[in-house]
């Protein structure tokens, strides 16, 4: 077995989600995940520190894509226009396989307090990445962190709609819609 | 030693924060916290499931006070006016001792990823309690959860200012100010 397996990361994610759904999160070991993926435990630990982190595999990449999307928005863009560009950047990278295992991912996280905590922390991390990028564009605080929070909420709401079996809209379109809804709701508060 | 010690909960919180600051969070045991507080381990476990939860002792009480504050706001109050009433209700219960150990509490949480995660989860819990109370008043979603989030942010910002040594403003006043700043920032986004 070579040192770098093609697609090892995604294979581990798929194997973990399948096993968590089949036999439960608590009963599943790293060894079982690696075996199901046709990889070694060593390869597992090259990608993830533990089984929990497999469920949050995308966090660093998503944070970077969101930050880059904000940095790359046109100079005259408003904070929420920059956030919309960030959502375009990250949602465009999602593949049909992620939509397919979305509901199982959602269920296993919902069933464990430890995982719900980690999910909340992931969202905070995505928000922090966007806040930093908005601040670098000159958006003052707290407007920067509020705009970032609307971006995280739009991402979360759009993901939940995207993985619904009846949905036929692309993820980027759903994210734009969700951000518009949030902007409208914010206007009623201000 | 009687079954119910006067002020046991606050004594355990103070002992834990003192020990965490003196010798580190990782090195401190439940037995040491109980001993420092002049209580038994059994008493400790009557109040908290583990040493981590001592640092988040107020969460349930604060969530209830916030929800009750929203429920008790005048019928014609806007969502943010109801949130302001909730902040009044919760901040009025804080005592000088909490201000005094605030900086040490802040430092120990900042130094441990596990505790930062728990802190983020606590805030999400406070937000959920306010969202539910706003929804019960007929505030539609996502306006309810956005207003609740502004409340949590105002609470957090005001707490950070309240525990600064140079501060001489009361906590409720700081919370009102912080909520006003957030409302102004939101208006720039909408």
């Amino acid at each position: 077995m070579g040192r770098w397996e093609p697609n090892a990361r995604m294979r581990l994610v798929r194997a973990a989600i399948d096993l968590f759904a089949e036999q439960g999160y608590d009963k599943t070991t790293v060894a079982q995940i690696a075996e199901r993926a046709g990889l070694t435990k060593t390869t597992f630990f090259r990608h993830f520190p533990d089984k929990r982190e497999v469920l949050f595999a995308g966090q660093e990449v998503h944070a970077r894509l969101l930050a880059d999307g904000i940095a790359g928005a046109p100079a005259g863009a408003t904070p929420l226009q920059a956030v919309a560009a960030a959502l375009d950047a990250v949602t465009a990278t999602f593949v049909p396989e992620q939509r397919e295992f979305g509901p199982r991912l959602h269920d296993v996280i919902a069933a464990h307090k430890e995982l719900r905590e980690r999910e909340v922390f992931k969202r905070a991390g995505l928000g922090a990445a966007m806040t930093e990028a908005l601040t670098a564009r000159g958006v003052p605080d707290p407007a920067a962190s509020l705009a970032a929070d609307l971006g995280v909420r739009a991402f979360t709401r759009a993901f939940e709609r995207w993985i619904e079996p009846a949905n036929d809209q692309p993820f980027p379109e759903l994210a734009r819609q969700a951000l518009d809804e949030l902007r409208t709701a914010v206007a009623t508060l201000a």
Side-chain angles (χ1 to χ4, degrees), chain A residues 41-121:
Chain A
K41 267 176 78 175
T42 307
T43 300
F44 179 96
F45 287 120
R46 208 173 285 139
H47 290 276
F48 302 105
D50 54 45
K51 69 177 179 180
R52 187 181 77 156
E53 290 305 307
V54 183
L55 295 169
F56 304 95
Q59 180 171 357
E60 281 175 37
V61 174
H62 294 164
R64 188 169 45 70
L65 287 166
L66 289 167
D68 289 353
I70 286 171
T78 66
L80 286 189
Q81 283 167 345
V83 167
L87 292 174
D88 285 345
V90 73
T91 53
T93 68
F94 276 69
V95 297
E97 185 172 15
Q98 283 163 288
R99 186 183 165 197
E100 186 266 312
F101 64 55
R104 278 173 295 157
L105 178 65
H106 186 274
D107 289 350
V108 67
I109 292 173
H112 292 82
K113 183 173 183 243
E114 170 201 356
L115 300 177
R116 292 197 305 273
E117 285 192 24
R118 180 64 183 78
E119 172 74 8
V120 168
F121 197 61

Side-chain angles (χ1 to χ4, degrees), chain A residues 157 161 174-187:
Chain A
R157 288 164 73 89
R161 292 171 188 173
L174 292 165
R176 288 272 185 162
Q177 278 173 13
L179 189 63
D180 278 343
E181 290 165 11
L182 290 162
R183 178 171 27 214
T184 304
V186 150

